[in-house]
Amino acid sequence: MMNIASEGIVGITNIASVLLIVFSGIFIIKGKMSLGNYWAVSQYALLFFAPMQLLASIRIMVQPGIAALTRINELLKLKTEDEICGNRQVGKIENIIFSDVSFGYSEKTVIDNFNMAISRNEKVALLGKNGSGKTTIAKLLLGFYKDYSGSIRINDIEIKNVSLSDLRNRVGIVAQNIVLFSGTLLDNIRFIAPQLDEHEIIAALSKAGLDISEFAGGLQAVISENGKNLSGGQKQKIALARMIIKNPDVMIFDEATSNLDIETSNLVKQSIHTIFAEKTCIIITHDPDMASLADTIIKI
Ligand SMILES: Nc1ncnc2c1ncn2[C@@H]1O[C@H](COP(=O)(O)OP(=O)(O)OP(=O)(O)O)[C@@H](O)[C@H]1O
Ligand SMILES: [Mg+2]
């Protein structure tokens, strides 16, 4: 549109110049106009066209700016998660109940009439093929989506009414896609609990099977955006350490051992019945060994 408009403006001024020459020529031949007059008119026309072109192009230059401002305005008007979520505090999580929950990201239903009841300290394994909706269930439990049908209740409070900061302090996840920030290893863990000293962080990392000497620079080792300079297993160990430090009531392990070596994977499996014994655990896995740690297995 911008190209059409700018070419249009050039076209119109060119046509106007041609018309001026043609009509001036006719008038001069008929003796109705002198060459001097023609010269004067053509100079005035030039003076007239230049600012007209400029005025027209200002609109073309301003238009993208207006569009960008509209988008920024729309973004600034969006409500934050905290403004649209409820404000009920759940307290220590005693039970989680999914009743007839259906949800889809678009028209396609991903979870259809899903039911699940988990009580305190229970270990539940969620099994199902790729794309069956296991991670989606974890996301629903963390309050990422509210447009589900049915009910998801924690301590008998509908999750839509719960304060998200309270919910997320009480439910932790070692996610399938681990988010790491560019910064030091220490920065990537300390944001969970700024009051912790370095010894406590090293202890949590070692519980997660990560030996700090693996990293040149120890806790000051630099991690690039999204942990591109780390192996999949190292990232998972950092995510596990975050979970250990966060110490939530409910721990979700979404394929949390898929990249770990046998030794570390066994360490995590042991932890589920030792350091996490007093925790409610939702274990999403394709590994039968990991699933066998659970009290209840739910296939979706
Ligand atoms: N953010 C999203 N937007 C649209 N569709 C999505 C989104 N996330 C997942 N899906 C779709 O929802 C379905 C369920 O995805 P989900 O990640 O819950 O599967 P999963 O059971 O965890 O699979 P996997 O075992 O591979 O991890 C898939 O068909 C996927 O394509
Ligand atoms: Mg998944």
Side-chain angles (χ1 to χ4, degrees):
M1 289 301 287
M2 277 168 65
N3 281 342
I4 292 171
S6 64
E7 292 305 317
I9 293 161
V10 173
I12 289 169
T13 48
N14 285 344
I15 291 168
S17 311
V18 171
L19 289 176
L20 182 69
I21 294 168
V22 170
F23 283 109
S24 305
I26 294 170
F27 289 146
I28 289 169
I29 291 167
K30 287 188 176 171
K32 287 183 181 168
M33 195 182 202
S34 67
L35 270 174
N37 276 347
Y38 165 69
W39 182 248
V41 169
S42 66
Q43 290 307 303
Y44 279 127
L46 274 183
L47 287 176
F48 177 71
F49 288 151
M52 285 303 288
Q53 274 188 354
L54 193 70
L55 274 175
S57 61
I58 282 176
R59 170 132 183 91
I60 295 170
M61 284 188 292
V62 166
Q63 196 63 38
I66 293 173
L69 276 176
T70 314
R71 296 286 300 275
I72 290 172
N73 197 23
E74 278 168 15
L75 191 73
L76 291 176
K77 275 196 196 144
L78 282 181
K79 291 203 160 129
T80 62
E81 261 192 340
D82 280 336
E83 285 169 322
I84 51 173
C85 77
N87 52 12
R88 305 248 338 237
Q89 306 286 314
V90 272
K92 194 156 182 68
I93 297 181
E94 300 292 338
N95 55 61
I96 300 168
I97 298 173
F98 279 63
S99 318
D100 290 329
V101 176
S102 300
F103 173 77
Y105 294 94
S106 49
E107 322 70 80
K108 191 176 157 263
T109 308
V110 174
I111 298 169
D112 194 12
N113 280 317
F114 177 72
N115 290 289
M116 169 170 86
I118 305 174
S119 47
R120 187 171 168 185
N121 298 350
E122 196 178 343
K123 312 280 181 277
V124 174
L126 275 185
L127 305 187
K129 51 185 191 337
N130 292 134
S132 55
K134 303 179 297 296
T135 302
T136 306
I137 290 170
K139 287 180 183 167
L140 286 172
L141 186 55
L142 284 159
F144 286 176
Y145 301 100
K146 302 213 177 296
D147 46 346
Y148 57 86
S149 63
S151 94
I152 304 175
R153 301 174 83 81
I154 296 183
N155 290 355
D156 229 22
I157 305 171
E158 185 64 39
I159 214 169
K160 288 175 193 171
N161 303 327
V162 170
S163 139
L164 282 180
S165 51
D166 186 38
L167 177 70
R168 294 192 187 143
N169 279 333
R170 296 186 179 277
V171 183
I173 184 166
V174 177
Q176 226 170 350
N177 299 321
I178 295 152
V179 180
L180 292 167
F181 309 102
S182 81
T184 63
L185 177 58
L186 185 66
D187 298 335
N188 267 281
I189 295 179
R190 199 173 242 171
F191 77 95
I192 307 263
Q195 76 284 0
L196 284 191
D197 68 31
E198 295 194 1
H199 294 291
E200 288 166 304
I201 290 176
I202 293 174
L205 282 168
S206 102
K207 275 187 197 158
L210 197 134
D211 184 356
I212 196 73
S213 60
E214 269 182 51
F215 292 93
L219 283 178
Q220 297 304 329
V222 174
I223 292 178
S224 53
E225 185 72 31
N226 258 330
K228 286 194 194 81
N229 58 344
L230 298 184
S231 75
Q234 286 168 332
K235 284 196 255 186
Q236 276 189 332
K237 288 176 189 176
I238 295 174
L240 275 166
R242 281 173 172 175
M243 174 86 107
I244 292 167
I245 289 169
K246 191 176 153 101
N247 196 26
D249 299 345
V250 177
M251 300 185 161
I252 305 172
F253 299 91
D254 193 354
E255 317 259 348
T257 51
S258 56
N259 291 316
L260 299 182
D261 52 45
I262 297 169
E263 202 178 315
T264 322
S265 167
N266 286 338
L267 188 85
V268 173
K269 285 172 192 164
Q270 268 174 23
S271 321
I272 288 181
H273 281 295
T274 53
I275 50 176
F276 304 147
E278 299 290 296
K279 301 282 169 194
T280 308
C281 296
I282 301 176
I283 305 160
I284 300 173
T285 185
H286 296 288
D287 170 11
D289 256 15
M290 188 79 174
S292 67
L293 297 171
D295 309 310
T296 316
I297 293 181
I298 299 176
K299 291 198 173 126
I300 57 167

